[in-house]
Amino acid sequence: MDIIKKLLAEKLERELQTQTRRHFIQSCVSGMGGLALGSLIGGCQAPEPRRMQLSERDLNPLSATAPPFTPKVQSVIYLHMAGAPSQLEMFDYKPELARLHNKECPESLLQGRKFAFIRGRPNLLGPQANFEQCGESGNWVSDYLPHFKQVVDEVAFLKAVHTDQFNHGPAQLFMQTGSPRLGRPSIGSWVTYGLGSENQNLPGFVVLTSGGKTPDAGKSVWGSGFLPSVYQGVQCRSQGDPVLYIEDPKGMSRSLKRKMLDAINGINEVDFQTYADPEILARINQYEMAFRMQIEVPEVMNINEEPEYIHQLYGTQPGKESFANNCLLARKMVEKGVRFVQLYDWGWDAHGTGESTAIDLGMKDKCREIDRPITALLTDLKQRGLLDQTLVVWGGEFGRTPMQENREGKTQSYKGRDHHVDAFTMWMAGGGIKKGAAHGLTDGFGFSGVEDTVSVHDIHATILQLLGFDHEQFTFDFQGRPFRLTDVEGHVIREILS
């Protein structure tokens, strides 16, 4: 009975708000406009109310939709290393930089450049890892990633990615939304808006985090921006309840919950017919999705029942928050039809301000945390026949400098690298990707791209291409003009496509 009273009170409050704000403005504006129009055309009879014709997509924004042309993949797993890992200790081997270790940095690398913390003239810092060429492709991988060497031939490297944002928050927004400013939809939201979801009992866009913190840019990196909010990422947890409040309170049966939702959605449908606000449809669908998720989410988020060899493969620890657990959950998600799975792993900001952020200590530990799970993810997807229909993307928001960081001109006790926008490494694997490819080249210091450089917009254009979209045609009208993920830039990186 208390629930019914609460619902009635909320309904009354919303009606009062409507009458005192939106209804007043709409009535005044449309009423005066109607009087003016009536005096011009001599009509005095109000038109018949028009009932909206709604498509299946209007009624269910997450219904599966075919892309404009044949896609290479059906789902995406995006692995974002929040904080920006050093490419110079992982994939971009520079023997010249090793030879000049601890030498004064050439002035040519500093002129006209702006860094987050470096001041004055720092020393060069050679690679702190040992490298070898691996697999049939002969691509370089460091000893920080011994397991990854087994799957190096599955991936295509982008060795000369660049960005124009050197602070974490704006750079993460740029990498995930195509803009360094708040308000744009994330790439996962764009994909879910364009394709819907194959599984109506699960969100189309799922977010999993590890490392103890969320990215510096906050939850905006998986927000829906100006798209309807039904397309924003749904954050799940690998520790505790997978989604907060997934369980009904005591005494609440499924049938009672169904009746309550039907009553709420009936009110929302009346409001939608009155105001045609797409957010009302989003609200209806989110209520319905939450109701369906209570059945399937606990099952798909449960890794306890996985066979022991899978736990050994990934290095998972059920019941704990970890990147390994999230990689296994990502496989389970795409296997169940989730369209876009975003993994954020925090803790890659290797400034050398202490042991945990040192390039030869803390970063080595971070690599150990991701090495086995990523290798397992690619191996597991392949053995299940899922890799050919899934795109796996790995990278950070920018790279690290070939110079050792010196805060306020003073050399630090631990070895670290500053933020760097001119060149860093990303990789892709899966359907439509040329296995073993390496695209782009940096100079001898790993400072700047000198061949086949690619931008953040190029990354986005390529992901959309593999999903069956022309990034220049895939738009959403907002504030009087069509917007797109790649704004007015971007080219598909066809050299890494099979």
Side-chain angles (χ1 to χ4, degrees), residues 64-140:
T65 305
F69 54 86
T70 304
K72 295 287 188 179
V73 296
Q74 298 178 15
S75 55
V76 177
I77 298 174
Y78 194 128
L79 313 171
H80 184 102
M81 309 294 104
S86 171
Q87 72 282 7
L88 297 168
E89 270 68 42
M90 299 179 82
F91 304 118
D92 201 13
Y93 177 49
K94 294 299 169 187
E96 183 178 354
L97 183 63
R99 182 175 60 83
L100 296 173
H101 172 65
N102 221 24
K103 303 292 184 183
E104 200 171 63
C105 179
E107 187 65 29
S108 60
L109 299 186
L110 304 174
Q111 289 179 345
R113 303 285 182 172
K114 188 177 181 180
F115 301 97
F117 295 100
I118 285 177
R119 301 293 182 268
R121 194 165 182 178
N123 290 337
L124 293 170
L125 177 62
Q128 298 302 295
N130 298 312
F131 283 77
E132 67 173 327
Q133 289 179 287
C134 304
E136 295 181 5
S137 62
N139 283 319
W140 292 95

Side-chain angles (χ1 to χ4, degrees), residues 44-352:
C44 60
Q45 185 174 353
E48 290 291 325
R50 178 175 60 86
R51 192 166 183 85
M52 285 160 289
Q53 299 296 316
L54 300 177
S55 66
E56 180 186 352
R57 197 73 196 282
D58 290 325
L59 295 171
N60 180 10
L62 287 173
S63 59
T65 305
F69 54 86
T70 304
K72 295 287 188 179
V73 296
Q74 298 178 15
S75 55
V76 177
I77 298 174
Y78 194 128
L79 313 171
H80 184 102
M81 309 294 104
S86 171
Q87 72 282 7
L88 297 168
E89 270 68 42
M90 299 179 82
F91 304 118
D92 201 13
Y93 177 49
K94 294 299 169 187
E96 183 178 354
L97 183 63
R99 182 175 60 83
L100 296 173
H101 172 65
N102 221 24
K103 303 292 184 183
E104 200 171 63
C105 179
E107 187 65 29
S108 60
L109 299 186
L110 304 174
Q111 289 179 345
R113 303 285 182 172
K114 188 177 181 180
F115 301 97
F117 295 100
I118 285 177
R119 301 293 182 268
R121 194 165 182 178
N123 290 337
L124 293 170
L125 177 62
Q128 298 302 295
N130 298 312
F131 283 77
E132 67 173 327
Q133 289 179 287
C134 304
E136 295 181 5
S137 62
N139 283 319
W140 292 95
V141 181
S142 83
D143 59 358
Y144 280 16
L145 301 166
H147 291 91
F148 186 79
K149 294 176 182 180
Q150 304 167 21
V151 293
V152 67
D153 287 335
E154 295 292 335
V155 311
F157 288 99
L158 298 168
K159 294 289 191 71
V161 186
H162 63 87
T163 179
D164 58 12
Q165 300 295 320
F166 66 82
N167 285 324
H168 293 291
Q172 289 166 1
L173 280 171
F174 189 32
M175 183 60 71
Q176 297 300 324
T177 73
S179 171
R181 289 167 290 280
L182 296 168
R184 295 290 186 88
S186 60
I187 184 170
S189 295
W190 276 107
V191 170
T192 313
Y193 161 66
L195 296 175
S197 178
E198 292 290 341
N199 188 334
Q200 295 300 298
N201 295 332
L202 292 171
F205 176 18
V206 172
V207 178
L208 300 164
T209 62
S210 57
K213 295 183 181 180
T214 54
D216 299 73
K219 297 182 179 181
S220 298
V221 289
W222 61 80
S224 58
F226 49 69
L227 293 175
S229 57
V230 71
Y231 299 115
Q232 69 185 357
V234 175
Q235 184 178 4
C236 295
R237 307 185 304 166
S238 56
Q239 183 179 24
D241 287 341
V243 179
L244 292 176
Y245 311 114
I246 193 72
E247 297 289 340
D248 285 327
K250 291 181 179 180
M252 174 70 73
S253 66
R254 292 290 289 176
S255 60
L256 180 58
K257 183 75 169 286
R258 181 69 268 172
K259 290 177 182 178
M260 186 177 72
L261 286 182
D262 288 342
I264 293 172
N265 287 341
I267 296 169
N268 284 328
E269 287 168 8
V270 171
D271 279 358
F272 179 73
Q273 290 296 335
T274 304
Y275 303 115
D277 184 351
E279 280 301 304
I280 297 175
L281 281 180
R283 189 186 311 143
I284 293 172
N285 279 276
Q286 284 166 335
Y287 276 130
E288 293 293 339
M289 173 62 73
F291 182 76
R292 297 192 299 268
M293 281 171 59
Q294 288 183 306
I295 299 297
E296 191 147 356
V297 164
E299 178 187 346
V300 75
M301 292 293 292
N302 180 15
I303 63 173
N304 294 313
E305 304 303 319
E306 292 291 318
E308 183 59 29
Y309 82 91
I310 289 293
H311 290 299
Q312 290 294 327
L313 183 66
Y314 282 87
T316 48
Q317 294 179 293
K320 295 186 177 181
E321 179 195 89
S322 71
F323 183 77
N325 287 8
N326 289 349
C327 282
L328 176 52
L329 288 170
R331 186 269 287 170
K332 287 169 66 71
M333 291 283 181
V334 297
E335 197 170 31
K336 289 287 188 177
V338 174
R339 187 71 71 182
F340 201 101
V341 185
Q342 179 81 61
L343 271 62
Y344 291 100
D345 186 59
W346 186 87
W348 290 89
D349 199 14
H351 285 288

Side-chain angles (χ1 to χ4, degrees), residues 14 16-27:
R14 186 164 59 179
L16 289 172
Q17 289 175 342
T18 300
Q19 293 296 327
T20 57
R21 185 176 66 247
R22 184 189 299 170
H23 181 73
F24 174 79
I25 294 171
Q26 285 186 341
S27 296

